Amino acid sequence: MTSHRNIDTIRAEFPLLATNPELAYLDNAAGTQKPEAVLKAMDAFYRTSYANVHRSVYDLSERATAQYEDARGRVAHFLNAQPQEIIFTKNATEAINLVAYSFGEENVHEGDEVLVSILEHHANFLPWQRLCAQKKARLVVAPVRADGTLDEEQMLALISARTKIVALTALSNVTGTRTPLARIIERVHQQGARVIIDGAQAVAHEHVDIRAMGADFFVFSGHKVFGPTGIGVLAARAELLETMQPFIVGGEMVKTVSLDNTEWNDIPWKFEAGTPPIAEAIGLKTAIDFIESIGWPHLHAHEQTLVEYALERVRALKGVHLIGPETYSSDRAPIISFTVDGVHPHDLASILNERHVAIRSGHFCAQPFLNALSYTAAARASFTIYNTHAEVDALIEGIAAAQKIFRV
Amino acid sequence: MNMYQEELLDHYWHPKNRGNTHDASFSATEHNPLCGDTLTITARVEHDILADIKFNGNGCAISQAAADLLTESLAGKTIQNAGMFSPDAMRTLLNVPISGAREKCALLALTAFQKGLNDYAHN
């Protein structure tokens, strides 16, 4: 299926980019644009196959159910999991909350510890902070080194017999650096604890094999990988899911309901109460097809040239400070965060916006991390397969223009 | 016209009213969680008049310039008049186009002032 289409061809597959040729969209870590194929698949589902799933015997509902379950199978294959190990949620945040509630409730008790890294997005921090407060457990936070990368040795040292859950990002949404997972996951398992990996950024930039990774729980969102909003994924080992109680309850997730007794449905449906995001699942499946049609090597190679070029050009600017490692390395994802002396990140983002360059400014939902490095806010540019060197140039020219306006 | 006009930047770089009011009658702080801006307004009321009003804090050019413009405009007003100062009046005072996403920055000082004045009036 892999075809080596060039970047212009790929870019032309994105209607929003094609109709806004002046736009440099550099906020892909927050959400990517959607290829035509994804939009068409969702549209076609509503036009030709829409019915609710898992409820009715008529042909249309069976067709919708088949497409929905086919999407689950596609996601399972994408992550090297089994279909019953894939739960569709609203987004990665909901998937983490599901684990905090359904797994945390039964497995974390007073005096236990939940270990997170300070790199975490609020989505992988707040559910654990709340769980620990409710359970009188201790939230332990692993630090970063001065360069903003996870201190692996310190994190390893913090895993103990008291540790019940370790929550860790696979790839920082601020620095674009990957987290060393192998030794940490091995140590977690030696201690009989469980690990949840936030893959929201990682899935957009690398082939993920959750079996090889050893993750007990793995989450991501559709909208960061060319899919629609409103769908996320929790992938979890079947034997863990079997022992967990549902997160929310309602329609479709039960076998029998009586006034005093209810039997939950099998996994994964036990965790999918109510009408699920059917069209969104089909959109996500098509987004995965899109990624695999490009091929990881091609995607990776393009992203690497972009981030290497962006780092080089940003480093050449006076008064601009990169957060995280400043030099390029081949495992660096195409995300760069920085500050500009004398220009507040929001002012920078507004000036870039006037030049049709869309970047993120603020704390990127990673306040503990930014604060640990003594920042309150920063600017972030994040790239993907459809971005170009010309867009990096537009970013650099915009930063220089902001410096001129602010006379720095 | 872009947001960063000379006059606005002048208020950002050379604010006249940055500081703390001596013997403040009220003070209030507001945060903009989106960008980490913090703004504190302190004011001294004498015979129902804002005898002194200052701001402190840090953040983007819009929020800080707006605070300087607002405090400049409110000084000497009666608290009744100052209490009627509206978001539209703040926009007029800024005199640059403020994009939707920056509204909160533009109105941060006014929000802090209204909060402080409200507490003062009810105590």
Side-chain angles (χ1 to χ4, degrees):
Chain A
M1 269 296 286
T2 304
S3 62
H4 287 285
R5 24 204 218 284
N6 68 32
I7 300 308
D8 289 345
T9 310
I10 293 168
R11 195 177 167 89
E13 292 174 38
F14 288 78
L16 187 141
L17 300 176
T19 52
N20 294 280
E22 77 291 351
L23 173 68
Y25 183 76
L26 307 181
D27 195 18
N28 296 288
T32 60
Q33 298 299 333
K34 318 304 171 195
E36 180 82 39
V38 169
L39 305 179
K40 273 191 174 155
M42 294 175 73
D43 185 68
F45 169 68
Y46 280 124
R47 286 177 195 278
T48 66
S49 309
Y50 176 76
N52 213 327
V53 293
H54 295 306
R55 281 159 211 255
S56 310
V57 297
Y58 52 86
D59 287 352
L60 198 58
S61 177
E62 287 201 5
R63 202 150 73 221
T65 303
Q67 287 193 37
Y68 179 65
E69 292 303 325
D70 179 51
R72 191 193 309 278
R74 190 75 183 83
V75 173
H77 185 262
F78 182 61
L79 298 176
N80 191 20
Q82 295 299 313
Q84 74 268 27
E85 297 178 315
I86 300 298
I87 295 156
F88 287 127
T89 62
K90 184 171 71 179
N91 46 37
T93 299
E94 188 182 81
I96 297 168
N97 276 271
L98 188 162
V99 177
Y101 181 87
S102 296
F103 185 80
E105 185 63 32
E106 304 230 344
N107 294 282
V108 176
H109 303 103
E110 186 169 350
D112 287 343
E113 291 180 356
V114 175
L115 174 62
V116 302
S117 89
I118 200 156
L119 279 168
E120 302 312 308
H121 187 283
H122 294 169
N124 203 24
F125 186 80
L126 296 179
W128 309 115
Q129 189 183 55
R130 184 166 72 173
L131 176 71
C132 288
Q134 285 166 348
K135 295 286 187 171
K136 298 197 174 101
R138 201 159 80 90
L139 183 69
V140 181
V141 183
V144 285
R145 291 184 280 253
D147 70 353
T149 58
L150 182 71
D151 192 326
E152 186 184 9
E153 295 305 325
Q154 287 231 44
M155 182 137 193
L156 284 166
L158 290 169
I159 302 166
S160 74
R162 287 183 301 277
T163 310
K164 291 294 177 281
I165 299 173
V166 175
L168 182 60
T169 182
L171 202 167
S172 166
N173 73 315
V174 179
T175 62
T177 51
R178 287 179 165 80
T179 314
L181 298 177
R183 289 172 65 208
I184 290 168
I185 292 176
E186 193 188 346
R187 181 76 59 90
V188 172
H189 289 155
Q190 279 166 3
Q191 293 289 356
R194 301 295 176 195
V195 63
I196 176 167
I197 300 296
D198 176 357
Q201 297 299 329
V203 283
H205 304 293
E206 67 193 38
H207 173 239
V208 170
D209 179 335
I210 62 166
R211 283 276 174 280
M213 182 187 277
D216 298 301
F217 302 98
F218 181 92
V219 305
F220 75 95
S221 289
H223 66 95
K224 288 180 170 45
V225 282
F226 310 110
T229 57
I231 189 157
V233 169
L234 167 63
R237 294 203 292 115
E239 62 268 33
L240 292 174
L241 291 175
E242 297 283 8
T243 66
M244 288 159 55
Q245 292 297 305
F247 178 39
I248 53 171
V249 294
E252 211 182 310
M253 46 77 72
V254 284
K255 283 181 175 165
T256 60
V257 178
S258 66
L259 291 184
D260 51 14
N261 192 30
T262 293
E263 190 185 349
W264 306 132
N265 203 339
D266 296 327
I267 62 166
W269 305 290
K270 179 168 86 175
F271 295 98
E272 294 183 355
T275 296
I278 310 166
E280 289 77 6
I282 290 159
L284 177 58
K285 171 200 175 287
T286 313
I288 292 170
D289 290 342
F290 170 80
I291 291 175
E292 297 199 340
S293 78
I294 292 168
W296 286 114
H298 187 26
L299 188 134
H300 191 69
H302 180 65
E303 290 186 345
Q304 292 306 300
T305 65
L306 280 177
V307 72
E308 184 173 13
Y309 181 60
L311 283 169
E312 181 190 308
R313 291 222 56 189
V314 167
R315 270 203 316 272
L317 291 168
K318 281 205 172 66
V320 179
H321 310 280
L322 284 155
I323 300 176
E326 295 186 6
T327 50
Y328 169 76
S329 63
S330 61
D331 66 344
R332 173 72 174 251
I335 300 172
I336 58 168
S337 296
F338 53 93
T339 59
V340 181
D341 289 342
V343 187
H344 188 281
H346 264 53
D347 295 322
L348 175 66
S350 283
I351 289 165
L352 283 165
N353 177 56
E354 286 169 358
R355 304 167 71 92
H356 311 293
V357 178
I359 63 155
R360 180 76 186 271
S361 56
H363 52 58
F364 323 130
C365 301
Q367 262 182 311
F369 175 54
L370 282 190
N371 292 345
L373 297 178
S374 304
Y375 294 100
T376 52
R380 179 183 72 188
S382 50
F383 308 91
T384 186
I385 187 68
Y386 47 63
N387 291 121
T388 63
H389 284 62
E391 289 176 316
V392 176
D393 293 338
L395 168 70
I396 300 300
E397 285 155 20
I399 296 170
Q403 289 178 312
K404 198 172 167 199
I405 290 170
F406 279 82
R407 296 182 197 154
V408 288
Chain B
M1 185 167 87
N2 78 32
M3 263 189 263
Y4 300 95
Q5 298 298 307
E6 198 61 26
E7 197 190 326
L8 182 133
L9 288 171
D10 194 52
H11 280 279
Y12 175 54
W13 287 324
H14 311 293
K16 294 182 188 70
N17 296 323
R18 183 180 284 279
N20 295 310
T21 307
H22 180 63
D23 280 342
S25 312
F26 66 83
S27 87
T29 300
E30 272 291 298
H31 302 280
N32 183 355
L34 202 66
C35 47
D37 291 357
T38 301
L39 219 130
T40 299
I41 296 277
T42 53
R44 189 173 70 252
V45 180
E46 289 173 8
H47 309 296
D48 278 359
I49 284 175
L50 287 169
D52 193 12
I53 176 165
K54 291 209 158 50
F55 79 96
N56 234 327
N58 52 66
C60 65
I62 304 294
S63 70
Q64 305 300 301
D68 199 48
L69 281 159
L70 178 72
T71 48
E72 187 178 86
S73 173
L74 293 181
K77 278 193 163 63
T78 64
I79 55 173
Q80 287 79 13
N81 267 340
M84 289 188 294
F85 197 91
S86 67
D88 269 344
M90 188 69 241
R91 288 184 197 100
T92 307
L93 203 55
L94 277 161
N95 198 28
V96 293
I98 300 293
S99 71
R102 304 301 299 277
E103 278 272 303
K104 175 104 190 178
C105 310
L107 300 179
L108 197 63
L110 180 60
T111 308
F113 170 71
Q114 286 169 339
K115 190 166 92 176
L117 181 63
N118 203 34
D119 288 348
Y120 173 76
H122 289 93
N123 280 324

